[in-house]
Amino acid sequence: MSRSAHPAGPRHADVLPEGHYTAPPADLNALDPKVWAHTVTRDQNGVVNVGGIEVTRLAEEFGTPAYFLDEADFRSRARAWRTAFGHDADVFYAGKAFLSRAVVRWLHEEGLNLDVCSGGELATALSAGMPADRIAFHGNNKSETEIRTAIEAGVGRIVLDSFQEIVRVAHIAQSLGKRQRVQIRVTVGVEAHTHEFIATAHEDQKFGIPLAGGQAAEAVRRALQLDGLELIGIHSHIGSQIFDMSGFEVAAHRVVGLLKAIRDEHGVELPEIDLGGGLGIAYTSDDDPREPHEIAKALSEIVTRECEAAKLRTPRISVEPGRAIVGPTAFTLYEVGTIKPLDGLRTYVSVDGGMSDNIRTALYDAEYSVALVSRTSDAEPMLVRVVGKHCESGDIVVKDAFLPSDLAAGDLIAVPATGAYCRSMASNYNHALRPPVVAVNDGGARVIVRRETEEDLLRLDVG
Ligand SMILES: Cc1ncc(COP(=O)(O)O)c(C=O)c1O
């Protein structure tokens, strides 16, 4: 993404500061459908609506900060993934992006499977009625209790992440008189983020077993010998926020290479291959994500081609999109508290949330966009940094964006595309109360995860 300083617009700067901003948008009141949930519109009074409800009403009823999730949008994205991959492939929604019982029910109804990576996510999935055989259990250091609970529940697969875990899962399965279906997660030496991928040296990470040096082949050898395990396939996840399919191409080539080596050594053709998640979404208008049907077609072509070349039967493919389903479906609504123009630099707009509800900007330097949503404005654009109320100067929600220069305390602003990895990574830093998630659909709004209260915080503090 090439973003650079632009000579036009900012009000409080004669010389523009370094930043990741493009030109101010031609119309600050416009809502780019790429970054907003499907039902988000601006009504004739200039107020933004979602699911047919004004954000001003939502703020009154549910308070701010709060995440508002467009249920119809979530369902239609989930369905689009399901339909795109058809009956010959499986879509596992990655629960780490955002999980709640309502979400589990929607996924179940839309025919998706679920990837969980902790006892807590598993408990949420089971308590909301996701059939255990549609659950994949992930994680690089699952506890014995988590493994036992997962096997007892009958999860469809456990993704093995280390040599120790191969033995641990086999023992626990055997002690329960079961044979657990497993995949082995390998690192293929590819790491992909946004528009780039790097095809060397990325075995240097905590996840998976490297293909390099024959380690993954050795893991397969051991797994095939253990009675408690039924090895069904190989798993690879190469990164996040990926737009370019070439990283998947290299990954599929290498995973199929392993399948071929397994066939040649053991006479076994593993029936499945999981290519993980990581497909990108639009956080700003500069991002151009691919549609699920394009991704499905590309992945299936890549795997089929590689298998034909290796003279292997094409395995059943699975994928694990998280962000690509839930990310665009929600926005965070904040109330503006203070506005601090710093001459020659930029204007700091402080909101009533921050890094406790969106850590991604501080953690990954993530980019977001922002809009004034409680009214329209014809004022000139002002370069802003949207910051939170926490005791960290890195408490930034939106690094560089434009808002109208008549912005005032009490205005509502919203940051779109916060459905993934925001509530699920939210914290109580500074004893912040984690915001609610409100599902909005067809003129109705209901809390699916309630706002934390001071009583919740104090209940844990038993000293
Ligand atoms: C193994 C695995 N699968 C799927 C995902 C989901 O990634 P995303 O939400 O970017 O699609 C992740 C994310 O970290 C992951 O580690």
Side-chain angles (χ1 to χ4, degrees):
M1 208 178 316
S2 68
R3 304 186 119 206
S4 57
H6 187 273
R11 183 175 165 230
H12 298 290
D14 297 329
V15 180
L16 283 163
E18 282 296 304
H20 287 254
Y21 48 91
T22 51
D27 177 3
L28 274 184
N29 299 313
L31 300 167
D32 183 347
K34 266 206 292 190
V35 297
W36 292 90
H38 287 158
T39 70
V40 171
T41 53
R42 216 181 258 281
D43 65 22
Q44 67 278 13
N45 300 318
V47 178
V48 168
N49 287 217
V50 58
I53 310 182
E54 300 95 326
V55 290
T56 40
R57 254 178 67 202
L58 292 170
E60 259 169 47
E61 187 171 346
F62 301 102
T64 57
Y67 308 98
F68 291 97
L69 196 163
D70 181 341
E71 178 181 340
D73 190 8
F74 183 99
R75 284 179 180 274
S76 84
R77 288 178 201 272
R79 210 173 302 138
W81 276 86
R82 180 76 219 103
T83 313
F85 280 84
H87 294 295
D88 301 327
D90 297 303
V91 181
F92 286 77
Y93 169 78
K96 66 204 81 178
F98 172 65
L99 199 65
S100 77
R101 290 198 279 193
V103 160
V104 173
R105 285 193 293 272
W106 301 340
L107 292 165
H108 188 191
E109 286 163 15
E110 300 299 340
L112 275 76
N113 305 317
L114 179 61
D115 140 13
V116 300
C117 63
S118 71
E121 288 183 2
L122 178 62
T124 305
L126 293 174
S127 79
M130 179 59 84
D133 63 355
R134 283 174 46 193
I135 298 176
F137 198 98
H138 266 281
N140 66 305
N141 187 18
K142 308 164 190 79
S143 72
E144 294 207 355
T145 306
E146 287 174 324
I147 295 169
R148 186 176 303 279
T149 309
I151 297 175
E152 278 174 342
V155 296
R157 63 178 64 161
I158 294 181
V159 182
L160 302 171
D161 198 274
S162 66
F163 282 96
Q164 283 92 341
E165 205 170 72
I166 293 172
V167 176
R168 212 170 276 159
V169 171
H171 275 149
I172 295 174
Q174 229 176 344
S175 73
L176 293 170
K178 296 207 179 191
R179 192 151 184 257
Q180 178 61 48
R181 287 159 58 86
V182 295
Q183 292 187 335
I184 293 176
R185 177 165 174 178
V186 302
T187 42
V188 294
V190 172
E191 182 169 282
H193 292 288
T194 61
H195 303 281
E196 296 162 355
F197 79 93
I198 307 162
T200 52
H202 289 279
E203 283 90 7
D204 187 4
Q205 56 150 311
K206 71 171 185 165
F207 293 110
I209 300 176
L211 281 177
Q215 291 191 62
E218 177 57 21
V220 168
R221 235 167 260 137
R222 294 195 197 174
L224 286 174
Q225 282 165 6
L226 293 166
D227 290 339
L229 306 181
E230 179 189 349
L231 181 62
I232 59 166
I234 300 296
H235 181 286
S236 150
H237 171 78
I238 57 170
S240 58
Q241 190 56 0
I242 303 166
F243 295 108
D244 178 351
M245 299 304 284
S246 47
F248 286 103
E249 224 158 295
V250 178
H253 175 71
R254 294 184 182 174
V255 169
V256 171
L258 177 63
L259 293 183
K260 180 171 180 295
I262 295 167
R263 194 260 328 268
D264 293 347
E265 182 177 344
H266 306 281
V268 175
E269 289 200 27
L270 296 183
E272 299 197 15
I273 163 175
D274 190 316
L275 292 171
L279 287 316
I281 63 166
Y283 285 105
T284 74
S285 298
D286 290 344
D287 295 325
D288 285 309
R290 292 180 173 227
E291 293 297 322
H293 66 87
E294 294 175 87
I295 294 163
K297 184 166 177 288
L299 291 182
S300 135
E301 280 173 5
I302 292 167
V303 173
T304 307
R305 193 175 60 236
E306 291 294 333
C307 287
E308 273 169 10
K311 299 198 169 37
L312 282 169
R313 271 196 302 278
T314 305
R316 188 173 179 86
I317 300 175
S318 48
V319 286
E320 299 171 340
R323 178 194 324 268
I325 292 177
V326 71
T329 67
F331 60 80
T332 315
L333 189 63
Y334 299 103
E335 184 177 309
V336 173
T338 65
I339 299 171
K340 194 180 285 183
L342 297 184
D343 276 342
L345 291 169
R346 69 188 92 239
T347 295
Y348 280 80
V349 173
S350 292
V351 294
D352 48 357
M355 66 193 300
S356 57
D357 59 72
N358 188 347
I359 190 67
R360 293 191 65 260
T361 309
L363 196 59
Y364 309 125
D365 216 17
E367 289 183 19
Y368 281 95
S369 38
V370 62
L372 171 61
V373 290
S374 47
R375 61 184 175 90
T376 50
S377 166
D378 294 327
E380 65 181 299
M382 126 179 114
L383 177 64
V384 299
R385 179 157 286 179
V386 179
V387 294
K389 57 183 289 173
H390 296 287
C391 301
E392 285 285 326
S393 45
D395 172 24
I396 297 168
V397 180
V398 185
K399 241 179 331 177
D400 300 293
F402 291 92
L403 282 171
S405 52
D406 63 353
L407 191 75
D411 277 333
L412 296 176
I413 61 175
V415 175
T418 57
Y421 305 106
C422 288
R423 179 59 180 80
S424 64
M425 286 184 160
S427 79
N428 291 121
Y429 180 47
N430 293 143
H431 281 201
L433 304 172
R434 286 178 295 175
V437 182
V438 180
V440 188
N441 194 20
D442 219 3
R446 69 187 174 104
V447 174
I448 58 170
V449 179
R450 74 161 167 78
R451 186 185 299 284
E452 269 179 333
T453 62
E454 286 175 2
E455 291 72 48
D456 291 328
L457 289 185
L458 292 173
R459 201 171 298 135
L460 296 176
D461 186 338
V462 294

